Amino acid sequence: MKLRPMTSADDPVVLALNATAEGLVDPLGPDRLDWLKLIAAHAAVVELDDRVVAFVLTFAPGSAHDSLEFHWFAETYADRFLHLDRIVVAEEHRRQGIATAVYRAVERSARQFDRLVCGIRSDPPDIAGLAFHAGRDFVEVGKLRRPDGTTTALCSKELATD
């Protein structure tokens, strides 16, 4: 398994992966992906046997990210957080440790922040996502009602400072 920076050559598979997770993550088109890659703290893909099987996008305070979750975290935590906006793993590669490995890498790179934060759909519930984050010591710190009528659990994990 190899975690590497996302390139424009990865765009078709990233867009396809994101489409498989719509309803759990926000929709993503080519123009939005280009913009998010420009402003992201991390825009990375996971390769397995020379094939992209997952991707992750994170955003640091002060970025131009316009998501409701990012703005809530910015208002709540000022500049002391790293927002994990989305991680998508291909369905046939889930529960194989890929997301855990990506989270570990993101957490190591986020040491200058107090916490790693993310939003997880809670109504309707993303049961697997909520359980995964609880198992990684994330705690719910708020709820956000989205314009589409769904609710997102806003979660935070305090990062150890060395």
Side-chain angles (χ1 to χ4, degrees):
M1 183 173 77
K2 177 182 172 186
L3 182 65
R4 64 164 175 80
M6 189 183 298
T7 69
S8 57
D10 300 317
D11 288 0
V13 71
V14 167
L15 293 169
L17 282 169
N18 197 86
T20 68
E22 281 188 23
L24 301 175
V25 297
D26 288 334
L28 192 60
D31 292 340
R32 178 122 176 114
L33 177 58
D34 285 344
W35 181 69
L36 291 176
K37 287 189 304 187
L38 284 174
I39 64 169
H42 302 96
V45 296
V46 175
E47 281 185 342
L48 193 59
D49 299 325
D50 296 321
R51 198 176 122 225
V52 173
V53 298
F55 76 95
V56 62
L57 293 168
T58 70
F59 298 89
S63 84
H65 197 356
D66 58 356
S67 78
L68 296 173
E69 291 90 351
F70 182 84
H71 285 285
W72 189 93
F73 290 122
E75 289 175 11
T76 304
Y77 298 121
D79 63 350
R80 302 303 308 157
F81 71 95
L82 182 67
H83 178 227
L84 198 148
D85 179 70
R86 70 186 75 204
I87 179 171
V88 178
V89 177
E91 189 169 350
E92 66 271 19
H93 294 286
R94 293 183 186 152
R95 301 201 186 287
Q96 296 176 10
I98 292 171
T100 296
V102 171
Y103 270 69
R104 283 186 187 134
V106 168
E107 289 170 14
R108 280 192 306 272
S109 72
R111 291 189 191 267
Q112 73 267 28
F113 302 106
D114 290 339
R115 61 193 68 246
L116 182 62
V117 299
C118 63
I120 307 152
R121 298 290 158 90
S122 60
D123 184 22
D126 174 2
I127 294 168
L130 291 164
F132 174 83
H133 287 85
R136 293 209 50 80
D137 299 323
F138 280 81
V139 295
E140 186 176 312
V141 293
K143 286 217 184 275
L144 182 67
R145 187 84 167 154
R146 299 173 53 87
D148 66 2
T150 62
T151 302
T152 297
L154 302 166
C155 298
S156 173
K157 176 181 182 174
E158 290 190 34
L159 299 173
T161 54
D162 299 315

